[in-house]
């Protein structure tokens, strides 16, 4: 590779990272706009797959003080590459998911109250309606609890591992979120913006599902035909929702 | 008909359609103002009965990008007459209702959370108080689930058909809304504005009814006398609510 | 009485009425500010005891269109004395209370959702905490249902009568609100402003009480000592809350 | 002590008190911003430990009328040292806590609805998730009810005493809040700002815990390992959340 080519590559990598910083900052601010966070209880990251660099919110910084410039850049092993602040304390969880699933481009963690209630209850959110099926092709799973050893040794990394264990062989992008037992939801998407979108969906769907159970304790989940119809009209090869097939 | 008369007719049709575009756009924006929609999960349409043309929200477009100009005009068979965007994916449901019920001038579909919980629970909302009776002359019905075949073949059209089947012989304007099982509410009115008004009512009444059941699981519906009194003081021939009898 | 004295009396009555119009308009707007009303589902009135004239919101007029000028003035028998619009359809209920209780200076009716749920459930709100006891010296009662005949003959007047019947020998100002079964709350106070204040209290207390029962189905009401303490430190002869004893 | 030194001491005490007045006023306004209060149902105080003076909200004054200047200054025995208004009617409760616990720098009392529901139910809020464990190192306790004699004799002081009795030998700063039975929450912190922060946490956690129980009536509290992990990663000697270890 000529010096010139290498220079161009570096320059475009730097430019991509700058764009990503801005996207991740914007996505963090959107958490607040969508009323998903209290104080600093949430974080968004995004990855530049070509360089393997991840941009993530700094830990414990108020939303009013966030900017594209104080986002932290880490590599996939968690070393800080750029930034003066500590990255989110949940960074190791994000990285475990990025390492495992190449399709993920952005990750969100919140303690949004209704989804958190399901996580605290240790229950998966069943697919009870088309609102759910428009985004999640089946229930929103809940992990098992971590063992004492997993908690003591490498808590945030093991949180990522238990998410991966729960997803198992499922299509990670067809159910773009999960509840960590006794903790709260994580969601993801092709980019940080879509990950935030899915975080909103999980919160709304969680609230609807609780009320549904209060009205009909024995309600059953959607049958496969309706699940297919709604998920695939938005996401399948023959999707016809929106303007993408124009 | 002289050329002149025909020209006048066309001109006034075009003017009516322009007014309707504006009304439908405004009514879509009102969904957001009344906090009935998350993202793009809702749509409003309106019909010009003289020309048989229906104005409806484009599919999957953010509320911030909507305008009177990008509303889509379709005929009662669903052919796009004006507009560059795809009409709402629920268009066939709207059209089924317009074809069946000449009194309907506007239709709304939302996934407002409390009404959606009832739809997911598969329960009609009983008339438990005068708030309900002021707008709905009896329970807000819930359809049966669609069969796998109905879902696979012409889902949105069949959603309209199952609404019509549920209304059966009832007065469609005396109970201007319905819950589609496992899905969400549809409401209607003499125009798009009134359809939105009724969408708000369904959401509020749904929330009140859940809380009422939590306080008194065995509560009974309003008796006929109170239902008559409230519905008819607003809607009957001798209505005396408001300023219309001045 | 000299002509001059009579003139002065009339002039001051007119001035008082003008002030009351403004207070009643402001109190109606406050219903919206406190998020107690959807659309036009609420009304406030106030009385000038010297002249026996009542100022009340017009029926079915949007909040944005209300002004001190379009408030309606009626006498205690319900004859319109000033104003081009119909008075609230609930006027006869307000007047029944003003006629019965000389201490009442303002009345509010809303369909605020949490209080309405209790009314629909036909349950009095028990005094479960000091928030309640700060304003209501005992449970917030719920009326019986009206009979078919009471509904058919003079519905709004009979609504007032059933409120009076429920209050019976109690001190009307020590429990300044009530739930009308299958309908919604009415509250009152020494003036329209205080009546709105009490309408907020009923709504907040109703929501807390439902959640309390969900956490402890067998909870008992406050004992007399705590009820006395909180109510009397704000309202008794030896009240020491606030700045009134300075 | 020379006159000069004494003068300097007085001057710096006055300056500290001025800063504290501003902090306490700001913290009171924050109660409203965080939607923890209806009307005047809440108060914040702060203490200057060097002088033993406490700054507290005046009783029953609307938030719009509060300023740093009308905050009231009292000594630890409750004598008003500065200010024309009555101090909060709950002052004696605040002072009992300041006298007992030298680590407390600020105290908040609200009637925030979800926490109040737990207080009315007479139930401690169990630690059901990491949101809780990030701030409270165990359940949020609920006091016993006061006896009739305690209510009659020195109600607000005895409220403070029953809080102290409930905390018993526990670390007061590791569980910085409590529910007073049939009443509402009190929270505290190293300063007024942190006390408000903890008041928000109690409200959010109370709402999540109710929903959790509705989803899983038999849910168990966090085990010690997860409680340790979350509390100590934020508060322990080896805390790594946020930027404090930079």
């Amino acid at each position: 590779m000529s010096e010139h080519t290498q220079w161009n590559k570096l320059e475009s990598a730097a430019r991509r990272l700058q764009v990503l910083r801005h996207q991740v900052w914007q996505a963090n601010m959107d958490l607040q706009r969508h009323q998903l966070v209290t104080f600093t209880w949430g974080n968004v990251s995004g990855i530049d797959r070509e360089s393997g660099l991840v941009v993530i919110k700094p830990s414990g910084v108020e939303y009013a003080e966030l900017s594209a410039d104080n986002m932290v850049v880490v590599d996939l092993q968690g070393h800080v590459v750029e930034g003066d602040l500590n990255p989110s304390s949940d960074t190791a969880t994000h990285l475990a998911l990025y390492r495992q699933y190449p399709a993920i481009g952005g990750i969100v963690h919140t303690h949004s109250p209704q989804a958190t209630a399901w996580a605290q209850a240790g229950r998966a959110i069943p697919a009870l309606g088309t609102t759910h099926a428009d985004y999640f092709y089946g229930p929103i799973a809940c992990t098992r609890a971590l063992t004492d050893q997993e908690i003591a040794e490498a808590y945030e990394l093991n949180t990522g591992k238990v998410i991966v264990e729960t997803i198992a062989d499922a299509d990670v992008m067809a159910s773009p979120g999960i509840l960590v037992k006794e903790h709260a939801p994580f969601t993801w998407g092709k980019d940080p913006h879509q990950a935030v979108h899915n975080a909103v969906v999980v919160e709304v769907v969680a609230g609807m599902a609780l009320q549904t159970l209060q009205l009909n304790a024995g309600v059953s989940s959607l049958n496969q035909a309706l699940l297919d119809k709604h998920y695939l009209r938005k996401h399948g090869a023959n999707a016809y929702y929106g303007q993408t097939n124009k």
Side-chain angles (χ1 to χ4, degrees), chain A:
Chain A
M1 189 155 57
S2 76
E3 260 180 51
H4 188 72
T5 312
Q6 203 166 3
W7 173 252
N8 280 352
K9 264 192 88 167
L10 277 169
E11 207 193 348
S12 79
R15 225 179 296 126
R16 286 198 321 270
L17 207 63
Q18 194 51 31
V19 169
L20 186 60
R21 275 175 175 283
H22 198 274
Q23 287 173 346
V24 170
W25 166 70
Q26 185 62 61
N28 274 289
M29 300 310 286
D30 284 347
L31 289 188
Q32 201 178 46
R33 188 166 61 86
H34 289 302
Q35 307 187 298
L36 295 177
V37 287
T38 301
F39 298 127
T40 62
W41 307 349
N43 45 68
V44 186
S45 68
I47 190 167
D48 173 47
R49 284 286 173 189
E50 203 167 321
S51 63
L53 294 179
V54 171
V55 176
I56 193 163
K57 179 170 165 288
S59 180
V61 175
E62 307 248 345
Y63 281 88
E65 293 167 26
L66 294 184
S67 69
D69 286 341
N70 60 23
M71 296 293 112
V72 184
V73 182
V74 298
D75 66 22
L76 275 167
Q77 279 62 52
H79 305 112
V80 173
V81 173
E82 285 180 24
D84 298 326
L85 299 169
N86 293 331
S88 165
S89 56
D90 298 307
T91 299
T93 312
H94 290 235
L95 298 181
L97 296 177
Y98 285 126
R99 286 193 303 261
Q100 183 73 22
Y101 304 111
I104 295 182
I107 296 174
V108 167
H109 172 51
T110 78
H111 289 217
S112 67
Q114 302 187 105
T116 300
W118 283 84
Q120 292 189 161
R123 288 180 69 169
I125 306 175
L128 298 179
T130 61
T131 320
H132 184 118
D134 281 337
Y135 292 92
F136 285 83
Y137 195 40
I140 301 172
C142 184
T143 70
R144 63 169 172 82
L146 273 70
T147 65
D148 285 10
Q149 200 181 339
E150 286 169 333
I151 291 167
E153 275 176 10
Y155 174 61
E156 290 84 4
L157 172 61
N158 287 327
T159 298
K161 284 187 177 170
V162 84
I163 293 174
V164 170
E165 174 193 316
T166 307
I167 293 173
D169 295 332
D171 175 356
V172 70
M173 301 311 276
S175 195
I178 208 162
L179 307 173
V180 176
K181 192 175 176 189
E182 297 174 336
H183 190 158
F186 282 81
T187 59
W188 45 85
K190 70 178 157 83
D191 56 32
H193 177 76
Q194 199 184 64
V196 171
H197 197 103
N198 291 331
V200 174
V201 173
V202 170
E203 180 64 2
V204 171
V205 159
M208 284 176 177
L210 170 56
Q211 292 202 344
T212 303
L213 291 176
Q214 290 174 331
L215 287 164
N216 182 352
V219 70
S220 22
S221 295
L222 292 195
N223 64 17
Q224 196 59 38
L226 192 54
L227 196 60
D228 283 352
K229 181 68 196 177
H230 267 264
Y231 189 76
L232 299 176
R233 83 175 184 170
K234 283 191 99 156
H235 303 274
N238 301 310
Y240 57 93
Y241 180 92
Q243 307 297 336
T244 47
N245 61 332
K246 284 299 284 190

